[in-house]
Amino acid sequence: MLELRVLLVEDDVVTRSLLTEVLTGRGLEVDAYADADQAWIVWQRHRHRLVLLDWLLEGTDGLTFCRRVRLDPDGDETVIVVVTGRDRPEDLQQVLESGADDYIAKPVDLSLLGIRLSIAERQVELTQERVRFQRQLVHDALHDGLTGLPNRQLLVERLRSCIARTARRPAYRHALLFLDLDRFKLLNDSLGHVAGDRLLRAFAGRLRQCVRPSDLVARLGGDEFTVLLEDIQDIRDPTRVAGRIHEQLAEPFLIDGQEVFSTASIGIAVGNPEYTKPEEILRDADNAMYRAKAQGPGSQAIFDQGMHNRVLRRLHLETQMRHGLQRGDFEVWYQPIVRLSDSRMVGVEALLRWPREERPWISPAEFVPVAEETG
């Protein structure tokens, strides 16, 4: 038998007593009231999954009560049955349009009441199954399947809320940490993908231990994670959290009986009123992470505008290189190698040069690394 708490709203004493007796006889717990306003307060407290109520009540009528329930975020989980003496087709249509699931005609026929209650109880079961299924779908859509952490979509939603809060209150502060596991590809290739997945799950667990319950730890994909720190009181809080993460990673992970050591490069971007889109702070935290990675494994870096300018310059340089290749701008110069004993040339070193008319030549130290990274 379904364990169910029922809310009964009926101002007629005889009908209320009859319905209460029938409901309790089915093993159901009943909260019975004659007033819809009082019943509404009780429903908000207990969120009853089954409501039986009269249409015509003193004060707030039953159909208004139905609409109130349906407007509540949890209202779709409640099955509502209206008890009414009206049986015209247009009246019954009005009952259903108010959000009720079913109706029982007065005077109440006990045999028919039992059938309708059985139907209502089954509706409650189906509603609960549907709600559980919908919640699972929402959870799956917003969480990473491997680690169970929030995913990029949920992170973006939380970032959007933080940005809106900062726009209203400039003193409000938040920060985003962007983490990338160092040498993860090497570990993944050497240990295997199954062990790599276990490492990612273990890393996610350690990240949770480094933050408050109100902070958000998310996995963006691969070995990239983020930590969103909300309502920080001290500008040094993000670096302290980064320090705790490095301390956690100082201890080895035990993967398939083997100790595995890993570090993380951490980029930090502190929220400010200039951010208007989640993608902007994500971009800057990512840029800071790459600066940290360039400093060496287990490093951290805080974003500054110079990083963004350098990234823009690099993107511009890459674009210019592609155009230069199409135009044939690049030249090979040969540097002679001379034997000092007799001053004879014994070979040459081939050097790539990029002469350009519109600006001074670009040093190979600047464009060769970009060429290597972009293929």
Side-chain angles (χ1 to χ4, degrees):
M1 183 177 293
L2 179 66
E3 293 184 4
L4 194 61
R5 186 168 187 162
V6 182
L7 177 61
L8 173 61
V9 191
E10 173 60 67
D11 58 359
D12 180 74
V13 177
V14 176
T15 305
R16 186 167 66 248
S17 299
L18 174 63
L19 292 174
T20 300
E21 182 179 349
V22 173
L23 291 167
T24 54
R26 298 176 69 90
L28 304 177
E29 185 178 354
V30 181
D31 294 323
Y33 294 90
D35 179 81
D37 291 323
Q38 187 178 5
W40 170 249
I41 296 173
V42 175
W43 183 87
Q44 288 180 301
R45 185 183 309 130
H46 297 292
R47 295 292 196 264
H48 302 77
R49 294 297 176 252
L50 177 58
V51 175
L52 272 70
L53 77 161
D54 192 6
W55 181 341
L56 301 178
L57 298 165
E58 291 292 335
T60 301
D61 63 79
L63 301 193
T64 300
F65 185 95
C66 290
R67 297 186 186 96
R68 282 183 178 177
V69 170
R70 294 304 183 221
L71 288 173
D72 188 275
D74 296 326
D76 287 342
E77 301 179 35
T78 297
V79 173
I80 304 175
V81 180
V82 172
V83 183
T84 175
R86 300 182 177 185
D87 58 358
R88 295 180 304 171
E90 57 267 30
D91 294 330
L92 301 180
Q93 181 66 26
Q94 193 174 349
V95 168
L96 297 176
E97 289 176 352
S98 71
D101 297 280
D102 202 352
Y103 63 90
I104 297 175
K106 291 183 180 180
V108 178
D109 183 322
L110 292 182
S111 60
L112 182 59
L113 175 61
I115 296 174
R116 289 295 177 85
L117 285 176
S118 296
I119 294 173
E121 290 171 4
R122 180 54 182 158
Q123 282 182 291
V124 171
E125 291 178 339
L126 293 174
T127 299
Q128 291 176 337
E129 291 175 7
R130 173 178 55 80
V131 169
R132 282 193 295 268
F133 179 70
Q134 288 175 337
R135 287 176 175 170
Q136 187 63 47
L137 286 178
V138 171
H139 180 275
D140 292 345
L142 298 176
H143 289 78
D144 172 54
L146 177 65
T147 63
L149 293 176
N151 60 16
R152 177 184 290 270
Q153 183 177 346
L154 183 53
L155 170 67
V156 167
E157 290 179 5
R158 287 281 289 271
L159 279 172
R160 190 172 287 112
S161 297
C162 288
I163 291 171
R165 200 172 297 123
T166 302
R168 294 192 302 268
R169 292 193 294 124
Y172 173 83
R173 287 176 176 171
H174 62 280
L176 183 67
L177 279 63
F178 200 113
L179 300 90
D180 184 86
L181 282 175
D182 299 318
R183 301 183 303 110
F184 177 73
K185 186 179 186 303
L186 175 63
L187 292 171
N188 203 38
D189 292 342
S190 59
L191 297 176
H193 292 291
V194 174
D197 288 347
R198 290 184 182 136
L199 176 60
L200 291 174
R201 284 194 292 266
F203 177 67
R206 292 196 186 182
L207 279 183
R208 288 193 185 100
Q209 300 174 21
C210 298
V211 299
R212 304 165 298 179
S214 59
D215 298 323
L216 183 75
V217 179
R219 181 184 178 219
L220 301 187
D223 60 335
E224 292 183 337
F225 294 79
T226 58
V227 176
L228 175 59
L229 306 176
E230 298 193 47
D231 198 16
I232 57 177
Q233 304 301 315
D234 192 322
I235 198 66
R236 293 169 293 183
D237 287 345
T239 57
R240 292 184 181 128
V241 172
R244 288 200 295 270
I245 294 172
H246 289 313
E247 290 174 3
Q248 280 282 344
L249 293 178
E251 296 295 324
F253 294 93
L254 189 62
I255 307 296
D256 294 339
Q258 180 178 348
E259 285 191 344
V260 176
F261 289 87
S262 183
T263 58
S265 299
I266 304 176
I268 302 171
V270 179
N272 61 66
E274 294 182 4
Y275 287 119
T276 59
K277 298 177 181 178
E279 294 77 14
E280 294 170 349
I281 190 169
L282 263 170
R283 173 203 65 202
D284 291 348
D286 189 20
N287 287 338
M289 184 274 293
Y290 276 104
R291 168 54 66 90
K293 192 171 283 289
Q295 296 171 358
S299 299
Q300 64 190 57
I302 300 177
F303 174 81
D304 60 52
Q305 190 58 40
M307 291 182 187
H308 184 53
N309 294 337
R310 285 189 290 273
V311 170
L312 291 179
R313 171 174 168 75
R314 186 188 180 286
L315 289 174
H316 179 69
L317 181 62
E318 180 182 337
T319 301
Q320 293 299 107
M321 283 184 63
R322 295 183 186 278
H323 292 162
L325 282 170
Q326 294 172 356
R327 293 191 302 263
D329 289 349
F330 291 90
E331 300 176 354
V332 178
W333 287 29
Y334 296 99
Q335 175 70 38
I337 299 174
V338 177
R339 186 166 56 202
L340 295 180
S341 60
D342 57 7
S343 298
R344 293 187 62 183
M345 187 176 72
V346 295
V348 293
E349 180 184 5
L351 305 172
L352 187 64
R353 294 292 182 261
W354 188 6
R356 300 199 303 171
E357 297 179 358
E358 67 271 18
R359 56 171 293 180
W361 290 8
I362 297 179
S363 168
E366 186 174 359
F367 72 77
V368 168
V370 176
E372 292 173 341
E373 291 176 19
T374 59

